[in-house]
Amino acid sequence: MPSIGIIGSGFGALAVAITLLQDGHDDIRLWERSDRIGGVWRDNTYPGAACDVPSALYSFSFEPYTGWESRYAHQPQILAYLRRTAAKYGVTPRVRTGATVVGATYDEAHSQWEVALADGTTDRVDVLVSAVGQLSDPVLPPIPGIDRFQGTAFHSARWDHAAPLSGTRIAVVGTGASATQFVPHLADRAAELLVFQRTPSYILPRPDQRYGRLYQGAFRVVPGALRTERNAFFSLAEQFSRGLDDDTRAGEIIRALALAHLRLRVRDRELRAALTPDYPVGCRRILFANSFYPALTRPHVRLVTAAVDEVTEAGIVAGGVHHDVDAIVYGTGFDAQNFLSAMRIEGAGGRLLTDVWADGARAHLGVHVPGFPNFFVAYGPNTNLGGGSIVYMLEAQARHIRDVLRRMREGGHRSVTVTSEAAEGFDRAVQHRLERSVWGHCESWYRHPSGRITSNWPGNTRTYADATARLKPEEFAWT
């Protein structure tokens, strides 16, 4: 059995580790830069942090859970689920925390990867899996003077829970998925809250509900109840994904629901106009929130739509107007385009991954990169979703990696790499479909500066699972 190294300890890393452990692999090592397991659900502890995918679907199919407290689980319970699952399946003892991977070099003579860590140590494995995801590195906007501010300032993914925010003037920069969750909580604490919006989002109501003991008990005692609920949400998510194609009835319905939700929650016409998107639905991430709009209508909360010019020692200048604030919270997302740029990954022949991906990341099935043998990517390029559960995608990738390693073992091969022809053919097909989707007509964080759409998968999750389910040996070079 080959030795396997996995970078990360979130959903993707656990999916791969557990799938391979169940297939008989024993030498599996996980490197985690933090001091605890959990990935994004460890890092994002802002008030109100929760998933916008129903809990029954945003969990491993092999580890259903009957104790979810609500339909849309909050961060603490998701993190507890991840850690409990890691312990149950024997992953926890294999995780080395405080281990930041800074690079990896493929040794062609020995068909191994030499992995370099920030503390100066190295490790060697036969197979390397990157499971750092697309949303792990928070990014601050390139605003002039951002370092000059003398008050409290932090990114939502690095929330400062000790910051004295109550009764202060707070600015929030950004109105994406995280902001829709934490803005209502800040509105409860702030004396004045300014929300700086660059582009409004389509926001749907979130059909959340608390799960009582009777409801949870039904999942435990009624055979197939939890599976039935999961399948129901899966079917709804697949239909939702259809709304991200051009001129579909599903897209029209989603847009109508979002605008109706806006009209119901925001009565002020001027504010409603500022919150109305002027682009096709799905172009940017569709959000689910019940309390964001009401928070913006409170008397001490103000939406600012003027572009942010600069940050000063005492506040923010937007549209030429200076706003004095005591604290700034940046809800400005993550560096979703520079895949693995924090690590120096050197493949066969000294090829650098950053050079290969200079005009946008690409990978066969979102997993394989030509010229990088025995290297796999979980939650790689073009595997993000506009609708549905990424956990379903991660499980499909884990099974695919398992199948590749099985063939390596059964064939006595020491290395495998996807052929350039197969990878290029897959990429052309994916980009063609993406350009015909709603994402092909607008700018968003899904698109690389070169113009390539590098983040999203052009379809529903079942089509991806089908694409990865049957291994095609002819697409790979086996050594």
Side-chain angles (χ1 to χ4, degrees):
M1 289 286 192
S3 55
I4 299 166
I6 302 174
I7 308 172
S9 69
F11 265 108
L14 295 188
V16 174
I18 293 170
T19 300
L20 296 183
L21 284 170
Q22 292 179 329
D23 201 46
H25 294 271
D26 184 62
D27 189 353
I28 299 178
R29 316 161 200 174
L30 293 87
W31 301 289
E32 169 54 56
R33 66 184 179 183
S34 181
D35 60 351
R36 298 176 298 163
I37 290 172
V40 297
W41 293 107
R42 175 200 58 240
D43 296 338
N44 288 268
T45 63
Y46 58 81
C51 188
D52 57 8
V53 176
S55 309
L57 191 56
Y58 196 81
S59 50
F60 292 121
S61 62
F62 55 80
E63 186 58 23
Y65 181 49
T66 60
W68 296 116
E69 296 175 358
S70 59
R71 177 172 290 160
Y72 295 87
H74 286 247
Q75 177 266 339
Q77 199 175 24
I78 297 174
L79 181 59
Y81 170 82
L82 280 170
R83 292 179 178 168
R84 187 170 55 250
T85 301
K88 177 179 178 179
Y89 289 90
V91 178
T92 304
R94 303 169 189 274
V95 180
R96 178 181 169 186
T97 58
T100 301
V101 174
V102 296
T105 302
Y106 185 67
D107 180 351
E108 296 182 66
H110 299 92
S111 299
Q112 287 187 320
W113 283 93
E114 182 172 358
V115 180
L117 303 173
D119 63 3
T121 62
T122 60
D123 204 346
R124 294 183 73 89
V125 289
D126 300 313
V127 174
L128 181 62
V129 181
S130 170
V132 300
Q134 297 186 24
L135 306 176
S136 58
D137 293 319
V139 63
L140 294 175
I143 302 174
I146 197 169
D147 295 326
R148 294 166 53 195
F149 185 63
Q150 297 299 303
T152 299
F154 53 84
H155 191 282
S156 63
R158 300 291 184 267
W159 196 273
D160 184 355
H161 292 276
L165 299 179
S166 296
T168 63
R169 299 166 299 177
I170 305 173
V172 172
V173 179
T175 54
S178 299
T180 61
Q181 295 182 345
F182 67 72
V183 160
H185 293 268
L186 290 181
D188 289 338
R189 301 181 62 184
E192 181 183 5
L193 180 62
L194 300 177
V195 180
F196 292 82
Q197 171 190 273
R198 184 176 61 177
T199 306
S201 299
Y202 286 100
I203 301 178
L204 293 171
R206 188 168 68 172
D208 202 1
Q209 72 174 81
R210 296 286 296 178
Y211 286 160
R213 292 183 179 179
L214 289 177
Y215 198 90
Q216 294 172 335
F219 287 133
R220 289 191 287 269
V221 300
V222 178
L226 195 60
R227 175 63 59 181
T228 299
E229 185 190 48
R230 180 183 175 91
N231 290 340
F233 284 128
F234 177 81
S235 298
L236 287 173
E238 295 295 87
Q239 291 301 313
F240 183 85
S241 296
R242 293 181 60 192
L244 304 178
D245 293 329
D246 274 350
D247 302 322
T248 63
R249 180 61 176 167
E252 294 174 3
I253 293 173
I254 292 171
R255 183 175 186 276
L257 287 174
L259 296 181
H261 177 54
L262 175 58
R263 285 194 300 272
L264 179 65
R265 295 291 188 173
V266 180
R267 295 300 186 181
D268 182 272
R269 291 187 177 181
E270 185 176 346
L271 178 58
R272 190 166 66 233
L275 292 167
T276 302
D278 62 356
Y279 52 84
V281 66
C283 174
R284 296 173 182 269
R285 181 176 175 180
I286 299 172
L287 308 180
F288 295 82
N290 296 331
S291 54
F292 179 65
Y293 285 152
L296 295 180
T297 65
R298 297 176 65 173
H300 68 297
V301 179
R302 183 153 53 97
L303 182 72
V304 181
T305 58
V308 175
D309 301 319
E310 65 173 320
V311 176
T312 68
E313 290 86 349
I316 293 177
V317 178
V321 178
H322 189 277
H323 304 272
D324 290 331
V325 295
D326 304 304
I328 303 176
V329 179
Y330 293 97
T332 47
F334 301 85
D335 187 358
Q337 289 301 326
N338 294 315
F339 289 75
L340 302 180
S341 60
M343 291 176 273
R344 187 180 190 277
I345 308 297
E346 183 178 331
R351 179 181 302 179
L352 292 178
L353 190 59
T354 51
D355 292 340
V356 175
W357 285 353
D359 64 344
R362 65 193 77 189
H364 183 61
L365 299 174
V367 177
H368 309 273
V369 184
F372 292 78
N374 296 2
F375 178 65
F376 304 91
V377 184
Y379 196 3
N382 295 120
T383 61
N384 187 56
L385 297 171
S389 174
I390 191 61
V391 180
Y392 184 89
M393 300 282 281
L394 296 173
E395 286 193 55
Q397 293 167 16
R399 291 190 296 268
H400 174 74
I401 294 171
R402 175 203 63 195
D403 293 344
V404 173
L405 295 184
R406 273 184 185 175
R407 183 173 178 84
M408 281 184 64
R409 180 174 70 242
E410 293 168 357
H413 305 297
R414 296 185 63 187
S415 70
V416 59
T417 183
V418 68
T419 67
S420 297
E421 293 76 15
E424 290 168 3
F426 173 82
D427 184 64
R428 282 195 301 271
V430 166
Q431 291 300 316
H432 176 70
R433 290 186 61 192
L434 285 168
E435 288 300 333
R436 297 179 61 188
S437 73
V438 66
W439 301 311
H441 309 305
C442 55
E443 295 299 321
S444 70
W445 63 265
Y446 304 138
R447 189 185 289 274
H448 187 269
S450 67
R452 288 178 52 82
I453 302 172
T454 59
S455 297
N456 283 7
W457 171 251
N460 57 31
T461 59
R462 189 180 294 279
T463 58
Y464 182 78
D466 291 343
T468 55
R470 186 171 67 88
L471 179 62
K472 300 178 180 179
E474 68 276 10
E475 294 182 339
F476 300 89
W478 309 85
T479 302

